[in-house]
mmCIF file with all atom_site columns, all heavy atoms in Angstrom:
data_model
loop_
_atom_site.group_PDB
_atom_site.id
_atom_site.type_symbol
_atom_site.label_atom_id
_atom_site.label_alt_id
_atom_site.label_comp_id
_atom_site.label_asym_id
_atom_site.label_entity_id
_atom_site.label_seq_id
_atom_site.pdbx_PDB_ins_code
_atom_site.Cartn_x
_atom_site.Cartn_y
_atom_site.Cartn_z
_atom_site.occupancy
_atom_site.B_iso_or_equiv
_atom_site.pdbx_formal_charge
_atom_site.auth_seq_id
_atom_site.auth_comp_id
_atom_site.auth_asym_id
_atom_site.auth_atom_id
_atom_site.pdbx_PDB_model_num
ATOM 1  N N   . GLY A 1 170 ? 82.252 13.671 135.477 1.00 96.00 ? 170 GLY A N   1
ATOM 2  C CA  . GLY A 1 170 ? 82.996 12.667 134.692 1.00 96.00 ? 170 GLY A CA  1
ATOM 3  C C   . GLY A 1 170 ? 83.831 13.096 133.659 1.00 96.00 ? 170 GLY A C   1
ATOM 4  O O   . GLY A 1 170 ? 84.597 12.368 133.103 1.00 96.00 ? 170 GLY A O   1
ATOM 5  N N   . ASP A 1 171 ? 83.624 14.352 133.138 1.00 97.00 ? 171 ASP A N   1
ATOM 6  C CA  . ASP A 1 171 ? 84.361 14.870 131.971 1.00 97.00 ? 171 ASP A CA  1
ATOM 7  C C   . ASP A 1 171 ? 85.525 15.807 132.388 1.00 97.00 ? 171 ASP A C   1
ATOM 8  O O   . ASP A 1 171 ? 86.053 16.542 131.647 1.00 97.00 ? 171 ASP A O   1
ATOM 9  C CB  . ASP A 1 171 ? 83.516 15.656 130.985 1.00 97.00 ? 171 ASP A CB  1
ATOM 10 C CG  . ASP A 1 171 ? 82.585 14.569 130.151 1.00 97.00 ? 171 ASP A CG  1
ATOM 11 O OD1 . ASP A 1 171 ? 82.852 13.427 130.281 1.00 97.00 ? 171 ASP A OD1 1
ATOM 12 O OD2 . ASP A 1 171 ? 81.567 14.988 129.533 1.00 97.00 ? 171 ASP A OD2 1
ATOM 13 N N   . MET A 1 172 ? 85.678 15.872 133.727 1.00 98.00 ? 172 MET A N   1
ATOM 14 C CA  . MET A 1 172 ? 86.706 16.843 134.265 1.00 98.00 ? 172 MET A CA  1
ATOM 15 C C   . MET A 1 172 ? 88.102 16.619 133.560 1.00 98.00 ? 172 MET A C   1
ATOM 16 O O   . MET A 1 172 ? 88.518 15.507 133.280 1.00 98.00 ? 172 MET A O   1
ATOM 17 C CB  . MET A 1 172 ? 87.051 16.502 135.889 1.00 98.00 ? 172 MET A CB  1
ATOM 18 C CG  . MET A 1 172 ? 85.878 17.219 136.657 1.00 98.00 ? 172 MET A CG  1
ATOM 19 S SD  . MET A 1 172 ? 86.349 16.880 138.294 1.00 98.00 ? 172 MET A SD  1
ATOM 20 C CE  . MET A 1 172 ? 87.640 18.215 138.602 1.00 98.00 ? 172 MET A CE  1
ATOM 21 N N   . LEU A 1 173 ? 88.777 17.636 133.343 1.00 98.00 ? 173 LEU A N   1
ATOM 22 C CA  . LEU A 1 173 ? 90.057 17.621 132.818 1.00 98.00 ? 173 LEU A CA  1
ATOM 23 C C   . LEU A 1 173 ? 90.831 18.872 132.962 1.00 98.00 ? 173 LEU A C   1
ATOM 24 O O   . LEU A 1 173 ? 90.231 20.016 133.378 1.00 98.00 ? 173 LEU A O   1
ATOM 25 C CB  . LEU A 1 173 ? 90.176 17.144 131.338 1.00 98.00 ? 173 LEU A CB  1
ATOM 26 C CG  . LEU A 1 173 ? 89.064 17.778 130.323 1.00 98.00 ? 173 LEU A CG  1
ATOM 27 C CD1 . LEU A 1 173 ? 89.412 19.177 130.070 1.00 98.00 ? 173 LEU A CD1 1
ATOM 28 C CD2 . LEU A 1 173 ? 89.157 17.042 129.054 1.00 98.00 ? 173 LEU A CD2 1
ATOM 29 N N   . GLU A 1 174 ? 92.043 18.983 132.618 1.00 98.00 ? 174 GLU A N   1
ATOM 30 C CA  . GLU A 1 174 ? 92.912 20.079 132.745 1.00 98.00 ? 174 GLU A CA  1
ATOM 31 C C   . GLU A 1 174 ? 92.992 20.713 131.375 1.00 98.00 ? 174 GLU A C   1
ATOM 32 O O   . GLU A 1 174 ? 93.268 20.069 130.421 1.00 98.00 ? 174 GLU A O   1
ATOM 33 C CB  . GLU A 1 174 ? 94.279 19.696 133.297 1.00 98.00 ? 174 GLU A CB  1
ATOM 34 C CG  . GLU A 1 174 ? 95.085 20.963 133.765 1.00 98.00 ? 174 GLU A CG  1
ATOM 35 C CD  . GLU A 1 174 ? 96.182 21.436 132.769 1.00 98.00 ? 174 GLU A CD  1
ATOM 36 O OE1 . GLU A 1 174 ? 96.386 20.605 131.751 1.00 98.00 ? 174 GLU A OE1 1
ATOM 37 O OE2 . GLU A 1 174 ? 96.755 22.374 132.912 1.00 98.00 ? 174 GLU A OE2 1
ATOM 38 N N   . THR A 1 175 ? 92.642 21.948 131.253 1.00 98.00 ? 175 THR A N   1
ATOM 39 C CA  . THR A 1 175 ? 92.581 22.692 129.873 1.00 98.00 ? 175 THR A CA  1
ATOM 40 C C   . THR A 1 175 ? 92.561 24.136 130.141 1.00 98.00 ? 175 THR A C   1
ATOM 41 O O   . THR A 1 175 ? 92.715 24.646 131.214 1.00 98.00 ? 175 THR A O   1
ATOM 42 C CB  . THR A 1 175 ? 91.436 22.187 129.036 1.00 98.00 ? 175 THR A CB  1
ATOM 43 O OG1 . THR A 1 175 ? 91.508 22.691 127.794 1.00 98.00 ? 175 THR A OG1 1
ATOM 44 C CG2 . THR A 1 175 ? 90.177 22.556 129.642 1.00 98.00 ? 175 THR A CG2 1
ATOM 45 N N   . GLN A 1 176 ? 92.256 24.909 129.033 1.00 98.00 ? 176 GLN A N   1
ATOM 46 C CA  . GLN A 1 176 ? 92.147 26.394 129.185 1.00 98.00 ? 176 GLN A CA  1
ATOM 47 C C   . GLN A 1 176 ? 90.909 26.622 130.062 1.00 98.00 ? 176 GLN A C   1
ATOM 48 O O   . GLN A 1 176 ? 89.844 26.029 129.816 1.00 98.00 ? 176 GLN A O   1
ATOM 49 C CB  . GLN A 1 176 ? 91.967 27.098 127.858 1.00 98.00 ? 176 GLN A CB  1
ATOM 50 C CG  . GLN A 1 176 ? 93.110 27.251 126.993 1.00 98.00 ? 176 GLN A CG  1
ATOM 51 C CD  . GLN A 1 176 ? 93.264 25.970 126.077 1.00 98.00 ? 176 GLN A CD  1
ATOM 52 O OE1 . GLN A 1 176 ? 92.392 25.185 125.991 1.00 98.00 ? 176 GLN A OE1 1
ATOM 53 N NE2 . GLN A 1 176 ? 94.523 25.846 125.762 1.00 98.00 ? 176 GLN A NE2 1
ATOM 54 N N   . THR A 1 177 ? 91.105 27.369 131.253 1.00 98.00 ? 177 THR A N   1
ATOM 55 C CA  . THR A 1 177 ? 90.010 27.654 132.097 1.00 98.00 ? 177 THR A CA  1
ATOM 56 C C   . THR A 1 177 ? 88.723 28.128 131.468 1.00 98.00 ? 177 THR A C   1
ATOM 57 O O   . THR A 1 177 ? 87.657 27.723 131.741 1.00 98.00 ? 177 THR A O   1
ATOM 58 C CB  . THR A 1 177 ? 90.464 28.600 133.142 1.00 98.00 ? 177 THR A CB  1
ATOM 59 O OG1 . THR A 1 177 ? 91.769 28.249 133.641 1.00 98.00 ? 177 THR A OG1 1
ATOM 60 C CG2 . THR A 1 177 ? 89.429 28.726 134.434 1.00 98.00 ? 177 THR A CG2 1
ATOM 61 N N   . VAL A 1 178 ? 88.933 28.980 130.459 1.00 98.00 ? 178 VAL A N   1
ATOM 62 C CA  . VAL A 1 178 ? 87.735 29.643 129.865 1.00 98.00 ? 178 VAL A CA  1
ATOM 63 C C   . VAL A 1 178 ? 86.855 28.612 129.104 1.00 98.00 ? 178 VAL A C   1
ATOM 64 O O   . VAL A 1 178 ? 85.670 28.875 128.779 1.00 98.00 ? 178 VAL A O   1
ATOM 65 C CB  . VAL A 1 178 ? 88.239 30.733 128.833 1.00 98.00 ? 178 VAL A CB  1
ATOM 66 C CG1 . VAL A 1 178 ? 88.789 30.047 127.494 1.00 98.00 ? 178 VAL A CG1 1
ATOM 67 C CG2 . VAL A 1 178 ? 87.089 31.604 128.501 1.00 98.00 ? 178 VAL A CG2 1
ATOM 68 N N   . SER A 1 179 ? 87.382 27.341 128.891 1.00 98.00 ? 179 SER A N   1
ATOM 69 C CA  . SER A 1 179 ? 86.526 26.307 128.248 1.00 98.00 ? 179 SER A CA  1
ATOM 70 C C   . SER A 1 179 ? 85.323 26.013 129.074 1.00 98.00 ? 179 SER A C   1
ATOM 71 O O   . SER A 1 179 ? 84.188 25.690 128.449 1.00 98.00 ? 179 SER A O   1
ATOM 72 C CB  . SER A 1 179 ? 87.412 25.079 128.016 1.00 98.00 ? 179 SER A CB  1
ATOM 73 O OG  . SER A 1 179 ? 88.382 25.338 126.968 1.00 98.00 ? 179 SER A OG  1
ATOM 74 N N   . GLU A 1 180 ? 85.388 26.176 130.411 1.00 98.00 ? 180 GLU A N   1
ATOM 75 C CA  . GLU A 1 180 ? 84.301 25.943 131.252 1.00 98.00 ? 180 GLU A CA  1
ATOM 76 C C   . GLU A 1 180 ? 83.090 26.723 130.897 1.00 98.00 ? 180 GLU A C   1
ATOM 77 O O   . GLU A 1 180 ? 81.966 26.336 130.703 1.00 98.00 ? 180 GLU A O   1
ATOM 78 C CB  . GLU A 1 180 ? 84.636 26.322 132.690 1.00 98.00 ? 180 GLU A CB  1
ATOM 79 C CG  . GLU A 1 180 ? 83.662 25.831 133.665 1.00 98.00 ? 180 GLU A CG  1
ATOM 80 C CD  . GLU A 1 180 ? 83.868 24.516 134.248 1.00 98.00 ? 180 GLU A CD  1
ATOM 81 O OE1 . GLU A 1 180 ? 83.572 23.567 133.481 1.00 98.00 ? 180 GLU A OE1 1
ATOM 82 O OE2 . GLU A 1 180 ? 84.379 24.325 135.397 1.00 98.00 ? 180 GLU A OE2 1
ATOM 83 N N   . LEU A 1 181 ? 83.446 28.115 130.703 1.00 98.00 ? 181 LEU A N   1
ATOM 84 C CA  . LEU A 1 181 ? 82.369 28.994 130.347 1.00 98.00 ? 181 LEU A CA  1
ATOM 85 C C   . LEU A 1 181 ? 81.903 28.819 128.915 1.00 98.00 ? 181 LEU A C   1
ATOM 86 O O   . LEU A 1 181 ? 80.704 28.957 128.691 1.00 98.00 ? 181 LEU A O   1
ATOM 87 C CB  . LEU A 1 181 ? 83.076 30.422 130.523 1.00 98.00 ? 181 LEU A CB  1
ATOM 88 C CG  . LEU A 1 181 ? 81.896 31.540 130.306 1.00 98.00 ? 181 LEU A CG  1
ATOM 89 C CD1 . LEU A 1 181 ? 80.859 31.556 131.120 1.00 98.00 ? 181 LEU A CD1 1
ATOM 90 C CD2 . LEU A 1 181 ? 82.819 32.878 130.681 1.00 98.00 ? 181 LEU A CD2 1
ATOM 91 N N   . ALA A 1 182 ? 82.891 28.492 128.070 1.00 98.00 ? 182 ALA A N   1
ATOM 92 C CA  . ALA A 1 182 ? 82.423 28.134 126.670 1.00 98.00 ? 182 ALA A CA  1
ATOM 93 C C   . ALA A 1 182 ? 81.435 27.064 126.517 1.00 98.00 ? 182 ALA A C   1
ATOM 94 O O   . ALA A 1 182 ? 80.452 27.145 125.796 1.00 98.00 ? 182 ALA A O   1
ATOM 95 C CB  . ALA A 1 182 ? 83.722 27.771 125.907 1.00 98.00 ? 182 ALA A CB  1
#
Side-chain angles (χ1 to χ4, degrees):
D171 288 346
M172 282 183 79
L173 46 68
E174 195 255 355
T175 186
Q176 286 86 19
T177 312
V178 73
S179 289
E180 186 89 287
L181 183 56

